Amino acid sequence: MRQGFPYLRPGLRVGLLGGSFDPAHQGHVQISRAALKRFNLDRLWWLVSPGNPLKAHAPASMAGRVAAASALMDHPKVHVSDIEARLGTRYTAETLRALRRIYPGVRFTWLMGADNLAHFHHWKDWRQIMETVPIGVLARPGDRIAARLSPAARIYRGAMIGDQDSQALAQASAPAWCFVNIPLIAASSSQIRAAGKWPGGVASGCAAGPEADQPPSA
């Protein structure tokens, strides 16, 4: 394991939730608590991304976003991490390759909202991601039908685990994915910024940060 990185014991089931968290909100908290329970995870990491060109504004500082997320997500099993910035990875597939090298034997599960599954086939090396780690999909308001009809869902339909067996996902061999329906808070980072309730935010029109393959959770 690389010096200075958090310790994870081989065999642990660790969920990974990526996004800009600009800012983190109660929707992130709810999806994380649900993922821990529904997918039987031992730990869950919030991967705070350096930036994303799909957003019209540059994100707030990494330190500010990590600090705000850490203050909001008060749970002993959840760790807020800037590991992508320290690794220098730009895409999810790269991040997963790096984490699996650093933490051999740890069973990672990638987590996403149903809205992300709808356009997952546009992510860089998305098939490699699907073939590398199990994926847990949590429904968000208004996105369930599009997600279930997405190219990724259709192509990997045979690898789908029913929601009644969701606790087996983290131990499954990839490709494996599971779609669970949960009542979610319709919170939005963009709405929080627009309302002026995020002092760490910056005005739109600034240069975007490093490339990424998925839009941060909104």
Side-chain angles (χ1 to χ4, degrees):
M1 188 183 70
R2 189 175 299 185
Q3 186 175 4
F5 282 45
Y7 174 73
L8 290 176
R9 174 175 50 81
L12 284 178
R13 302 178 297 272
V14 180
L16 302 172
L17 181 65
S20 66
F21 297 96
D22 186 32
H25 52 68
Q26 287 298 327
H28 297 123
V29 173
Q30 187 177 18
I31 203 173
S32 299
R33 290 181 178 274
L36 283 166
K37 180 178 180 180
R38 296 297 301 273
F39 300 129
N40 194 28
L41 301 171
D42 298 309
R43 303 281 190 278
L44 193 153
W45 281 13
W46 285 9
L47 301 182
V48 182
S49 64
N52 194 308
L54 299 180
K55 293 292 184 178
H57 73 287
S61 71
M62 174 66 76
R65 287 181 288 141
V66 169
S70 298
L72 178 68
M73 187 68 252
D74 184 17
H75 194 289
K77 293 186 176 182
V78 179
H79 172 66
V80 179
S81 174
D82 64 352
I83 199 169
E84 283 192 306
R86 289 191 283 154
L87 288 172
T89 54
R90 299 166 66 193
Y91 299 102
T92 296
E94 293 177 337
T95 297
L96 289 173
R97 286 194 294 268
L99 289 176
R100 294 177 77 220
R101 285 195 302 269
I102 297 169
Y103 297 103
V106 172
R107 305 191 68 90
F108 290 110
T109 297
W110 187 259
L111 304 172
M112 65 171 70
D115 55 338
N116 278 335
L117 180 63
H119 57 78
F120 186 44
H121 58 289
H122 294 305
W123 291 23
K124 181 176 174 58
D125 298 328
W126 71 273
R127 287 178 180 264
Q128 183 182 102
I129 298 171
M130 185 69 82
E131 300 279 347
T132 297
V133 295
I135 295 179
V137 184
L138 299 106
R140 301 180 65 178
D143 294 310
R144 300 177 184 185
I145 295 177
R148 289 186 181 278
L149 298 178
S150 68
R154 293 199 310 267
I155 292 170
Y156 285 94
R157 189 168 303 278
M160 183 178 181
I161 294 175
D163 61 355
Q164 71 276 9
D165 298 318
S166 62
Q167 294 207 341
L169 178 69
Q171 294 284 62
S173 297
W177 65 284
C178 183
F179 187 104
V180 296
N181 291 309
I182 60 173
L184 291 174
I185 298 172
S188 166
S189 295
S190 58
Q191 291 176 356
I192 294 172
R193 293 193 302 269
K197 297 178 180 179
W198 171 225
V202 295
S204 61
C206 298
E211 290 185 8
D213 49 10
Q214 81 277 10
S217 302

